[in-house]
Amino acid sequence: MFEIENCYRLIFEAMLEDSALQCIAERLEQYTRAGTAFITGAGVLAGCSGLCARMFPGSAGAGRLVSEDYAVIRDKEETDGRSWCITPVYGIRMAIGYVVLIYGKKEEEALFQELGELLAQRVVSESNCIEKKIADSVYQIWRKSGQRNSVPDIVAEFINRGHDFKTSLMAGF
């Protein structure tokens, strides 16, 4: 059995890593013993724990959900006696991805549904946070330049200066 409060801590710590979703998936599997995968609406595996990679080697190797694995996940077919929790991640108007949790004990279903909802909220929160930081950063560069360059010109200039965009954003320039 695991405690949701400890999952909050694991998620928060993993959000500081470069591959945040991959790190979250791996750390949660270590703590909860549940396979964890983050799948975008386009089928890209944004993060996949070891258990999920072993259960779906074709998808893990391709970096995206392959059709055979999609059918298993969609139908929630029982695999190795494990139960499934699939939580949609909603954007502004529709599902933009899914959190898949594969766990062992059916009596833990409510706890894993709560964890799935927590993860879905954090994914959207992280996505919105990064988009806001990018928008704020681009605006600051534009304002400091004193020119009326277009946004793509400003971003290109920023990258041409040799800045690591993500590191600069996190450091606030």
Side-chain angles (χ1 to χ4, degrees), residues 77-89:
E77 291 179 17
E78 191 170 302
T79 308
D80 296 335
R82 294 182 172 275
S83 298
W84 297 76
C85 174
I86 301 172
T87 308
V89 177

Side-chain angles (χ1 to χ4, degrees), residues 134-147 149 151 153-159 161 163 165 169 173:
I134 290 171
D136 289 347
S137 298
V138 169
Y139 175 74
Q140 291 299 325
I141 293 169
W142 177 77
R143 204 177 92 213
K144 287 179 184 176
S145 74
Q147 300 174 3
N149 295 347
V151 170
D153 291 341
I154 294 167
V155 172
E157 178 186 336
F158 185 76
I159 293 169
R161 288 190 214 159
H163 291 289
F165 205 61
L169 289 175
F173 292 102

Side-chain angles (χ1 to χ4, degrees), residues 52-63:
C52 286
R54 287 187 300 279
M55 290 179 76
F56 305 112
S59 293

Side-chain angles (χ1 to χ4, degrees), residues 5-169:
E5 292 78 23
N6 291 335
C7 293
Y8 273 102
R9 182 182 52 81
L10 291 171
I11 293 166
F12 179 74
E13 290 171 355
M15 296 291 269
L16 302 174
E17 300 293 330
D18 284 336
S19 302
L21 295 178
Q22 181 65 33
C23 193
I24 289 170
E26 292 169 357
R27 290 181 186 185
L28 284 176
E29 181 178 306
Q30 288 174 356
Y31 179 61
T32 66
R33 303 278 185 236
T36 306
F38 297 97
I39 304 170
T40 69
V44 174
L45 285 175
C48 180
S49 70
L51 176 63
C52 286
R54 287 187 300 279
M55 290 179 76
F56 305 112
S59 293
R64 61 177 173 73
L65 197 58
V66 296
S67 59
E68 304 84 44
D69 296 339
Y70 171 75
V72 171
I73 291 172
R74 180 197 63 219
D75 299 337
K76 295 185 183 179
E77 291 179 17
E78 191 170 302
T79 308
D80 296 335
R82 294 182 172 275
S83 298
W84 297 76
C85 174
I86 301 172
T87 308
V89 177
Y90 289 102
I92 295 172
R93 296 181 186 197
M94 62 184 184
I96 58 172
Y98 300 88
V99 175
V100 177
L101 297 169
I102 306 169
Y103 56 97
K105 298 179 183 174
K106 187 71 172 166
E107 51 275 0
E108 292 182 323
E109 182 175 11
L111 196 54
F112 278 102
Q113 285 179 343
E114 183 180 353
L115 177 59
E117 290 171 14
L118 166 69
L119 289 168
Q121 291 169 1
R122 291 304 307 161
V123 169
V124 169
S125 169
E126 172 70 3
S127 172
N128 289 342
C129 180
I130 289 172
E131 288 172 11
K132 183 179 182 325
K133 285 183 179 182
I134 290 171
D136 289 347
S137 298
V138 169
Y139 175 74
Q140 291 299 325
I141 293 169
W142 177 77
R143 204 177 92 213
K144 287 179 184 176
S145 74
Q147 300 174 3
R148 295 289 183 215
N149 295 347
S150 69
V151 170
D153 291 341
I154 294 167
V155 172
E157 178 186 336
F158 185 76
I159 293 169
N160 287 337
R161 288 190 214 159
H163 291 289
D164 175 351
F165 205 61
K166 183 175 180 180
T167 303
S168 298
L169 289 175

